[in-house]
Amino acid sequence: MTSLLAHRVRALASSVLEGLAVGGLVASREAPPWSRPRVLISAAAGAALTADQASLELPAMLREHRATGTVSPAPPHERRALAHAGAHALVVGLLLQVLDRPVRDRLAQRGVRHPHRWFGAIAAVAHLAALAPVYWRLAADRARADAEREAAIEAELQEMAAGR
């Protein structure tokens, strides 16, 4: 059983990783399209996000498939939380698109070097702030579901032991 602390650490790590990926992508817009730095940053962000999600879901799915031969759908609370996180990310992304040019222009007018990088840092923090609370609640839900599953198994084992 995974503890609440482990779920919460995982939630924060995923939130930070997603924020860094979004911030890196926004900051990379300083480079010309299809330039080597921009392509490398985009590929690294995509690979990091894919690895993060696969490391969370894939091992549990493989264990379940080995044990039962099938994989059950995600529980409703997880689907709701992930839809909520997606909606938050969409709103933040749209807001970043609207504010991109005005904020960069304002930073450039003030003499800030590399305004894309600063706006990328702002984007990373905004994305992190939008997703961290959702992932934090999802971590608590996952820990609660793990505890309930463990209690059910323990009760079944107790019942089997009492029957003998």
Side-chain angles (χ1 to χ4, degrees):
M1 179 173 94
T2 309
S3 70
L4 175 62
L5 179 62
H7 280 293
R8 292 241 163 115
V9 166
R10 174 75 180 144
L12 287 176
S14 288
S15 298
V16 168
L17 182 66
E18 286 187 34
L20 289 174
V22 168
L25 289 171
V26 170
S28 75
R29 292 175 64 185
E30 186 172 21
W34 297 106
S35 65
R36 182 178 171 91
R38 196 162 174 181
V39 169
L40 289 175
I41 290 171
S42 298
L49 292 176
T50 301
D52 177 54
Q53 289 303 310
S55 70
L56 178 64
E57 303 297 332
L58 192 59
M61 287 175 44
L62 291 174
R63 277 193 306 272
E64 184 178 355
H65 187 271
R66 259 186 257 123
T68 65
T70 62
V71 177
S72 60
H77 67 88
E78 283 203 31
R79 288 194 306 266
R80 276 192 305 273
L82 294 176
H84 197 200
H88 280 209
L90 178 65
V91 168
V92 168
L94 291 173
L95 185 63
L96 290 172
Q97 285 294 331
V98 168
L99 295 176
D100 184 22
R101 187 166 304 270
V103 170
R104 284 185 299 110
D105 289 346
R106 187 72 171 244
L107 289 171
Q109 286 173 355
R110 292 179 180 245
V112 174
R113 294 184 55 184
H114 308 290
H116 276 89
R117 292 180 189 169
W118 285 101
F119 190 68
I122 293 167
V125 170
H127 197 77
L128 173 66
L131 289 185
V134 177
Y135 286 171
W136 190 263
R137 284 190 304 272
L138 180 58
D141 291 343
R142 284 179 173 163
R144 190 177 314 109
D146 284 353
E148 289 170 0
R149 189 171 31 258
E150 187 73 24
I153 291 170
E154 189 66 33
E156 188 176 326
L157 289 174
Q158 295 265 338
E159 188 177 297
M160 287 173 58
R164 286 190 179 191

